[in-house]
Every structure is written in structure tokens, then in C-alpha cells.
Amino acid sequence: MKIWVAFENNKKPLIIVGAGTCGRAAGAMETWAKAEETLKELKIDAEFMEVGCIGPCYLEPLIDIKIPGKPRLSYSNVSPSKVENILREIFEEDKIPERDFVGTFGDHDGLKKFWDHPMLAKQERIVLRNCGIIDPNSIDHYLARDGYIALEYALAHEPEEVLEIVKSSGIRGRGGAGFPTGLKWGFCRDAPGDRKYMICNADEGDPGAFMNRSLIEGDPHAVLEGLVIAAYTIGASKGYIYIRAEYPLAIERLENAIEQMMETGLIGENILGSGFDFDVTIKKGAGAFVCGEETALMGSIEGKRGMPRSRPPFPAQSGLWGKPTTINNVETLGTIATIVRKGSDWYSNIGTENTSGTKTFSLVGRVRRTGLIEVPMGMSLREIIFDIGGGLFRNFKAVQTGGPSGGCLSEEFLDIQIDYETLAQAGSIMGSGGLIVLDDNTCVVDLAKYFLNFTQSESCGKCVPCRVGTRQLWEILERITTGQADIEDLNKLEKLGTSIKRSALCGLGQTAPNPALSTLKYFRDEYLAHILENRCPAAVCSELVEFRVIADKCTGCQSCVKVCPTDAITGPRSEPHNIDESLCIKCRACYEACRFDAIAGDAIVITSGTVT
Amino acid sequence: MTGTAVTLDLDGFTGIRSDLIPILQHAQDSLGYITEEAVRQISQKIRITENEIYGVATFYAQFRFEPPGEHHIQVCMGTACHVKGGQQLSVSLEYQLDAKMGETTLDGKYDLEQVACLGCCALAPVVKIDETIHSQLTVLKLRKVFDEDEES
Ligand SMILES: Cc1cc2nc3c(=O)[nH]c(=O)nc-3n(C[C@H](O)[C@H](O)[C@H](O)COP(=O)(O)O)c2cc1C
Ligand code: FES
């Protein structure tokens, strides 16, 4: 608590660095070092604080500067060279530099507000309420923001009462399937057995989604508080967090947070004097997508190959080591404490009738503003992509939801309201929250092939429809994208896809055909162009595209000649260059050079089928 | 980060079956890869057959059975990176380093690995070299990263 008050009323200048994985990838640590150096030169004694991702990753590195008695100023895209200028202007000249200024927190005359930024204005932050605001390494910060009040409340009440709150809040599992969380807990609570397990699924297998990583990195205690409340409600004394090894920073944050909980008596024996015992172990995944599936995940915790098994029996009856087990996604658990604290009515009033609450999405792909967002259920895809995401640089083609289990939705679906049922009716799924925006430079057939390549290589091999079927689907798509398919292949694709959906053992196989089936349904023309005209309309499929120099535009600058790794481009200076197709590996280096080099004339084009 | 120890220290583990994956992870962290000797040691510690250990270890993409290169390169093959040109990064890297994904360069300097997603999708496409993630890459930007590395 003291630490938070000190933070709110800081005596020394405070520099707040967005240092989640995305901030770091954008160079936050270099900017931090440069800021320290600059402040030293200015002889200013400042403190630094690290926060998780606040959402608009495309603005990273984000740095905030808070001088005692003055508003907290947030700056975006702060490279090391920029941070020096910003700090000098603020500290030497007592100015508020306008360039790269995103906004301020709180109300300050004449200054724009951070939360009014177009990417943030329409969001509703419940799960992400602390992300980017508090120091994730400090339990005091979490406590100061009403942390562990819900746990205290829960432990002072009967598990049935907590269960009732969760049930009537209407929250559904955020891991993909949307199963009502209260029901799931109830089954496990009612299952006979004195030993039960509570698992947090932090495997985040959808490639292209990072909601769970961001939440754990930015507010680990929120997830842990939810986990302990869940364990108390179902009657579990042992918990596991299964987290993918690709998230080292998130693992570190969890380890640190658990240690702080032990010191504070929030985990371990006799939690907060209630008599309830619970301890938790972190299990690192080892790089298998199927281990996100609950039964495979439990196999993996037991030290076996992560193979799904058929259900029933469900984990609530027979899970980890055959004992009743509940497994929930990170985001589900991250919401629980706020629900318990604010009440089920409050929560169920947010969202739609069938799906209450908010959902986080990782908004990525070919959209202007990429990052992590949280919106009430029922918001339209159009609002998300165009109002929050700021639209695209090129023409909208589709949005992919639900990862390898999901589908692609075309423009006609932009106005549907996001919830589990509507997305499913439209031919995709909610999934865990990946939203990948595609423009006319993305090939949906290539994307379907990409997903099938992913699922066939991640198939655990236990059941034939998945092991052999996904491989065959991929082969058909490979034929189409290389111009070797005939029209009959489309029927095969549909038939095979439909039969795999019906017969596969687990969710991986049952949903693997979706990316192919949904693109075939909404973008049949593109499939036909590949098959009938040997043409990839988006000019993506490498076998069907050609890199060419438009002679009239070429200034003969030799930029492309210099970057071509295979010496495929020739031409004397000041004369149009020539690409030898037989040597070209289609790596795009020449195309980039021609776009970015000032004297080049945008002369290199990637075309497919048509001669322009 | 990895690969300096010669023998495996298993004192921190009790030897129950569910320790298998953590022990394998520990082995890879300290030895750089899963050695035959390590498998023998683990088999004695947990009292399961070496075959069974290989059965589990080969199921998971994380484990390798060959010595690693000096630097570890992970090219993200996640969806966001894919639609932002990750494929071209991997084509051009393979050509530049003269090794395929999953291989180590002949001089032992680099390992090339494809990973499903590094969680930096908003800054796609990304490549991780040792502990550093390079984001919003283009073929030419990535090449510069390597050229600078060669010079230093
Ligand atoms: C192939 C496959 C992969 C999955 N991957 C994940 C995952 O990465 N994270 C997750 O929370 N759930 C994943 N699930 C769903 C889990 O099986 C399970 O339903 C979920 O963790 C339950 O949590 P919830 O009720 O809070 O949503 C996956 C399911 C399948 C079939
Ligand atoms: S898709 Fe590449 S980091 Fe997620």
C-alpha cells in the first residue's frame, strides 16, 4: 500500500516504461538505458518503473514521465534518440513536447487524455484494468487497486455462495469453447473425491494471439487471485499453471508474484487465517499446440506425451491423475476477482444476453493500430477494426478469428455483433481472441494452407481422421497454390473437410478443416482463379507470382542488384534492370529496396497471371 | 544461455514421474541438448525406460538431440507474422545462412528454428536471436541485423 501511495504522490520524477515482451521487442530497454544516461547528464535524480503492456503495441516503446505535482505524460514510439530530446525539453525547458505525445492520465486543462486516444476510447477495461498501470512486480500496487479483496470476501463465505456469484454472472470460459464457468465449477465441486485439482491454462496455443501473455505480464496477481478463488470454490488444494515456454517474461512474473503471495500468506497453508490450504506449481510447456487441449494438457503435467483422450469422462469427474479437476483459461480466471468484488449483476449487465462481460482480442495483421484490446461482448467487427483499429492501409478483405480452429469472415459480416453464437453462425468461432485482419494483399488460399500445415504438423497422431485427413487437406491446398489442382479438388476439399469435422477425436481435428472450409465458402472466386487461371489474385503464392521490372519506371540505380542474394538481377547503371526468373528465390529483397530507396522508381512489381 | 555443463545435476528433483518434462527441460538448459548420457541418468532417477523417455521427449518440439549452434535463431511462423511476410524472412535467412529451418549452419554459429508464435504479433513479423526479439522486420532489416553481427 505504502508503495502505491508513494507512486501516486511521487517525490522524485518518475519514468514509467512499457516493458512487456512487445515493448522490449520494440526497443524499450535501449530507450530506458538512454533515458538513464540523459537524466544523469541533466543531474536529475529520477526513479524508473516497469509496467506491462497497456495495449496499443504499435505505439511501443511507450514511455510516461511523471514529475511531482504535474500530470503524467505519455509518449509513443520513443526510440533512444527521441527520449533524449523529450527529457531535455521537459526538464531543461519546462515544456510539454507535442511530438509523439499520446496524452495524459487524469484531467488536465488543455492536455489531451490518454484514454481518449481513438484506439482506447471505445474499450472497456475490466480484465486489463491494471495492465500498463501498475508495476507487475509489486504486490503492493495490486493491493492498492483493490487486489485480493475478492479473495478475502470469498474465504469469509461458503464456497456455494461464491459459486452462485460466478454462476449468475454468466461468465463463460474464455479459452475458446465458451462453456459457462459456474457450471463447470459446480460439476467439479459436486464430484466425489477428497483430492481435487485446479489448473490454469496459459498455453495460449493460437499462433498470432497474445492476450494471455500480456495479462500475465501486466497483472499476474489478477490471474492468481482468480485461481485461488476457483480452487476454494471447487475444493482443490493443489493447482498448476501450464504455461508455454515461449513466454519467459510471463513465467518470471508469475514466479515472482507467487513468491510475494507466500510472503503475504495469500497462498500456502491456512490462507488469510481461513483454514484453506492451496499451493500452486508452474509447469512449462514444451512446444506442442495440442497440449492446450485440456486432456492433453493434463497428460503433459503427468509427464507423458500430450495426447488428448476422448471425453467423457470429463475432467470434472476424472482429470489429473484420475481426480476431479477444473481447468480454466488465463482470461477467465483473470476476470473472476472483479466479478466477486463488484457482483454478478454488475457483470451480467455488460455484454450481450447470451454472453456477458468483455473479451480481450489481439488485433493484428494488416490493420493500422495493432495491439491488445478489451471490448464489451456484442461490439461489431466493424467498430473493432475501423474505430479501434483505425482501418487498414489497403482494402479490407477478411478478418480471421479463432486461429487454426476458426475461419475467415468477409466484408458482409462486418456488422455482426461479436459473441460465441453469432460468430459460430457466421461460419467462424470466437476462439481465444485472435483477430487477424487481412487486406487484398493477403491470399486466403495461402492462409488456409498455412493453417492446415500448422494443424497437420501439430496433430498428435492418435486418431486417423486428424493424422491422415489434415495431411490430405494440406496436400490439396498445396496443389491449388502451386497451380497443379483441378476443379474436382474443390469437391474433395469440401467432402474430406466435412468428414474430418465429424470423426476426429478432439477439438484439434474437429476444427482443423474450418480455415479451409470457411475460405472456400466465402472466397470461392479466389480458389477458382488459382485453379483455372493459375493466378493468385493477391500475388502471394510464390509458385504463381513473378517479380518483374517495369522498364519505364526503372531508374537503373542498381539498388536491387546489390541486395539480390542470388545475383538474379542484372543491368548496367542507368539502364533498366532485368530479373532472371530461374534464379529468383522470391525473397522480396529487391522489391523492398525498390520501394525504400529514394532514387529507385517503384519499378519492381510482383504480379500473378496478368501482364501489366 | 545454455550448454556449458557436462554432467547433469538432478539433486533438485525428487524423481516422481511428473518430473520428467521439467527434468528434460533442465537437462536441455544446462547441457544445451538432450544427450544420451542425460537420458541414461534420467532413466535411473525416475526409474522408467530410456525408450519411454525418448517417446516423451520426441513428442515435444522443444527438445533437441544434437548440439546447438552458438546462436539460436527463432523465426516466428505464427499467423500474424505469416500475413506480414514471415515466409520471406525465412526464405531469405535460409539462403543467407545456407541452412534449412531446423538445421545448424556448417560453421556451428547459428541454429535456425521455426516457432509457432513469440507473442509479439502486434509487431509482426518478428525473429528472435538468442534473447532479443527483432520486430517489424523486412528482409533487408533482418539482413542488416546479421551483417552488424558479423562485423562485431
Ligand atoms: C487443440 C486445442 C487447443 C487448445 N488450446 C487452448 C489454449 O491454448 N488455451 C486455453 O485456454 N484453452 C485451449 N483450449 C481449450 C481447452 O481445452 C479448455 O477448453 C479451456 O482451457 C477451458 O478453459 P475455459 O473454460 O476457461 O475457457 C484448446 C482446445 C483444443 C481442442
Ligand atoms: S505471430 Fe509472430 S509473434 Fe505472434
Side-chain angles (χ1 to χ4, degrees):
Chain A
M1 239 11 161
K2 263 189 260 139
I3 297 180
W4 178 259
V5 175
F7 160 65
E8 290 271 87
N9 307 302
N10 56 322
K11 296 269 186 306
K12 288 181 192 174
L14 182 66
I15 315 293
I16 301 160
V17 186
T21 298
C22 36
R24 289 174 190 217
M29 297 325 251
E30 287 79 21
T31 300
W32 182 329
K34 184 74 192 173
E36 268 182 339
E37 194 187 308
T38 310
L39 290 168
K40 216 179 199 169
E41 277 171 29
L42 295 174
K43 301 210 167 36
I44 285 170
D45 181 19
E47 277 180 14
F48 282 78
M49 178 176 120
E50 176 175 351
V51 296
C53 172
I54 202 159
C57 304
Y58 79 110
L59 296 178
E60 299 279 12
L62 277 158
I63 306 278
D64 297 359
I65 295 131
K66 190 168 183 291
I67 298 182
K70 295 198 175 165
R72 169 175 169 181
L73 308 170
S74 189
Y75 285 90
S76 67
N77 304 104
V78 190
S79 58
S81 61
K82 281 187 191 167
V83 82
E84 171 161 7
N85 291 337
I86 294 173
L87 292 173
R88 282 187 189 278
E89 275 191 51
I90 292 180
F91 287 98
E92 282 189 328
E93 303 168 33
D94 195 22
K95 280 196 196 147
I96 295 179
E98 272 176 33
R99 227 185 121 204
D100 299 312
F101 178 58
V102 190
T104 177
F105 292 81
D107 254 330
H108 296 281
D109 272 349
L111 288 183
K112 51 183 177 178
K113 294 183 198 157
F114 185 85
W115 297 114
D116 285 346
H117 184 280
M119 186 168 188
L120 297 156
K122 279 200 160 186
Q123 294 192 39
E124 181 154 353
R125 293 165 82 89
I126 295 173
V127 187
L128 301 179
R129 68 188 186 96
N130 286 328
C131 287
I133 305 293
I134 65 168
D135 177 353
N137 286 315
S138 161
I139 194 171
D140 289 298
H141 279 196
Y142 183 67
L143 289 169
R145 305 256 304 173
D146 297 331
Y148 293 110
I149 287 180
L151 177 62
E152 224 177 332
Y153 174 91
L155 293 177
H157 291 77
E158 290 302 316
E160 285 78 9
E161 291 173 68
V162 184
L163 185 61
E164 196 43 49
I165 299 175
V166 175
K167 270 189 182 160
S168 48
S169 75
I171 184 173
R172 298 167 62 173
R174 298 298 192 241
F179 192 82
T181 306
L183 270 185
K184 192 189 256 192
W185 291 11
F187 291 145
C188 192
R189 175 160 183 81
D190 294 342
D194 46 5
R195 187 144 185 90
K196 292 178 186 175
Y197 294 102
M198 180 67 219
I199 301 174
C200 170
N201 188 345
D203 198 45
E204 190 146 71
D206 176 357
F210 58 98
M211 303 77 48
N212 293 172
R213 165 187 77 65
S214 233
L215 177 58
I216 295 174
E217 283 180 6
D219 196 12
H221 284 288
V223 180
L224 289 162
E225 184 176 6
L227 184 71
V228 184
I229 294 174
Y232 172 74
T233 312
I234 63 165
S237 53
K238 175 80 200 166
Y240 290 95
I241 300 174
Y242 191 90
I243 181 164
R244 61 202 310 248
E246 287 85 350
Y247 288 176
L249 186 61
I251 295 172
E252 199 183 305
R253 293 273 153 85
L254 281 174
E255 285 169 347
N256 176 59
I258 292 171
E259 207 164 288
Q260 292 173 337
M261 290 173 80
M262 285 201 269
E263 286 162 9
T264 328
L266 289 161
I267 212 161
E269 280 174 24
N270 191 17
I271 295 174
L272 296 176
S274 64
F276 172 61
D277 303 336
F278 178 68
D279 89 282
V280 62
T281 302
I282 296 173
K283 286 273 179 181
K284 279 191 276 177
F289 170 67
V290 72
C291 286
E293 195 278 337
E294 53 193 28
T295 60
L297 187 152
M298 291 186 287
S300 182
I301 291 181
E302 291 171 10
K304 303 181 191 144
R305 299 165 72 109
M307 298 273 206
R309 58 164 180 75
S310 57
R311 300 169 307 179
F314 287 94
Q317 271 77 45
S318 171
L320 205 54
W321 291 293
K323 307 286 184 210
T325 304
T326 295
I327 175 163
N328 276 125
N329 172 260
V330 169
E331 186 178 340
T332 317
L333 293 173
T335 317
I336 293 295
T338 310
I339 294 177
V340 170
R341 191 162 45 82
K342 293 195 154 189
S344 53
D345 285 348
W346 168 80
Y347 190 77
S348 61
N349 277 326
I350 304 164
T352 64
E353 200 172 325
N354 286 329
T355 312
S356 56
T358 55
K359 177 82 197 78
T360 61
F361 289 100
S362 74
L363 182 59
V364 298
R366 294 173 173 260
V367 58
R368 279 172 196 265
R369 304 189 196 115
T370 54
L372 177 68
I373 62 165
E374 179 174 1
V375 296
M377 293 282 190
M379 187 177 268
S380 73
L381 283 167
R382 189 184 298 282
E383 281 175 286
I384 293 178
I385 295 166
F386 289 89
D387 296 349
I388 295 178
L392 293 75
F393 292 103
R394 300 177 55 93
N395 293 327
F396 175 86
K397 179 185 273 184
V399 53
Q400 206 281 339
T401 70
S405 309
C408 281
L409 298 175
S410 52
E411 195 158 5
E412 61 196 282
F413 295 100
L414 276 177
D415 290 307
I416 62 167
Q417 296 197 324
I418 283 211
D419 70 19
Y420 292 95
E421 281 70 28
T422 355
L423 279 173
Q425 275 159 21
S428 188
I429 59 164
M430 172 87 85
S432 58
L435 271 185
I436 294 158
V437 180
L438 313 175
D439 66 15
D440 51 7
N441 264 354
T442 344
C443 171
V444 291
V445 190
D446 170 73
L447 190 65
K449 181 176 84 169
Y450 159 82
F451 278 123
L452 262 304
N453 181 42
F454 179 82
T455 35
Q456 67 91 15
S457 71
E458 292 295 336
S459 167
C460 77
K462 190 166 168 180
C463 76
V464 176
C466 181
R467 185 179 68 234
V468 181
T470 55
R471 171 92 204 161
Q472 286 172 346
L473 285 182
W474 176 81
E475 280 166 359
I476 298 173
L477 291 163
E478 173 73 6
R479 282 206 294 278
I480 299 176
T481 53
T482 52
Q484 292 164 21
D486 54 52
I487 196 80
E488 196 30 47
D489 277 317
L490 291 187
N491 289 333
K492 282 190 201 149
L493 196 66
E494 257 164 352
K495 261 173 100 172
L496 182 59
T498 320
S499 100
I500 298 172
K501 276 180 81 132
R502 271 202 309 265
S503 51
L505 171 71
C506 84
L508 192 155
Q510 287 156 8
T511 56
N514 288 350
L517 294 177
S518 74
T519 47
L520 184 55
K521 187 165 165 198
Y522 299 129
F523 298 94
R524 203 177 180 90
D525 283 356
E526 263 189 64
Y527 278 82
L528 291 175
H530 284 77
I531 295 173
L532 302 177
E533 302 165 39
N534 275 353
R535 183 171 68 86
C536 171
V540 168
C541 295
S542 65
E543 298 286 327
L544 304 181
V545 304
E546 191 187 345
F547 284 64
R548 293 192 308 119
V549 181
I550 300 179
D552 290 351
K553 284 189 166 184
C554 179
T555 59
C557 71
Q558 292 199 311
S559 298
C560 57
V561 179
K562 281 184 219 130
V563 299
C564 177
T566 62
D567 295 328
I569 312 181
T570 49
R573 181 163 284 283
S574 306
E575 276 176 43
H577 304 325
N578 182 45
I579 303 181
D580 179 349
E581 241 206 294
S582 66
L583 294 176
C584 174
I585 56 167
K586 297 173 183 172
C587 71
R588 270 174 90 97
C590 58
Y591 178 83
E592 286 174 12
C594 195
R595 286 288 164 305
F596 299 129
D597 197 297
I599 48 168
D602 287 359
I604 294 182
V605 290
I606 308 173
T607 56
S608 179
T610 46
V611 179
T612 43
Chain B
M1 101 189 147
T2 54
T4 40
V6 195
T7 49
L8 197 53
D9 176 8
L10 294 178
D11 287 350
F13 297 93
T14 53
I16 49 172
R17 171 66 204 242
S18 59
D19 271 350
L20 178 55
I21 294 167
I23 288 184
L24 285 165
Q25 286 168 333
H26 167 71
Q28 180 146 315
D29 273 350
S30 47
L31 307 173
Y33 67 111
I34 309 293
T35 61
E36 285 177 25
E37 175 55 28
V39 173
R40 235 168 279 141
Q41 259 182 287
I42 297 170
S43 153
Q44 281 162 8
K45 179 88 185 181
I46 314 191
R47 287 185 297 278
I48 53 175
T49 66
E50 291 181 24
N51 254 343
E52 215 173 325
I53 296 174
Y54 281 113
V56 171
T58 51
F59 181 83
Y60 296 97
Q62 188 187 23
F63 299 117
R64 50 179 302 145
F65 304 91
E66 307 275 331
E70 240 174 277
H71 299 286
H72 191 47
I73 306 176
Q74 295 181 307
V75 184
C76 180
M77 288 287 133
T79 320
C81 289
H82 180 82
V83 304
K84 288 262 190 123
Q87 189 58 37
Q88 276 80 27
L89 295 181
S90 91
V91 167
S92 108
L93 254 188
E94 286 184 336
Y95 192 86
Q96 190 182 353
L97 301 178
D98 196 16
K100 293 258 168 267
M101 289 294 154
E103 293 178 355
T104 306
T105 52
L106 276 181
D107 60 5
K109 194 156 178 201
Y110 298 108
D111 278 335
L112 269 178
E113 190 198 352
Q114 290 188 335
V115 285
C117 173
L118 291 165
C120 273
C121 327
L123 300 174
V126 303
V127 170
K128 187 170 180 182
I129 304 175
D130 295 329
E131 298 308 301
T132 311
I133 296 181
H134 299 268
S135 63
Q136 291 176 310
L137 285 170
T138 62
V139 171
L140 296 178
K141 249 170 104 176
L142 179 62
R143 201 185 286 175
K144 240 173 91 187
V145 172
F146 280 93
D147 292 346
E148 278 162 18
D149 193 55
E150 293 288 312
E151 278 164 28
S152 61

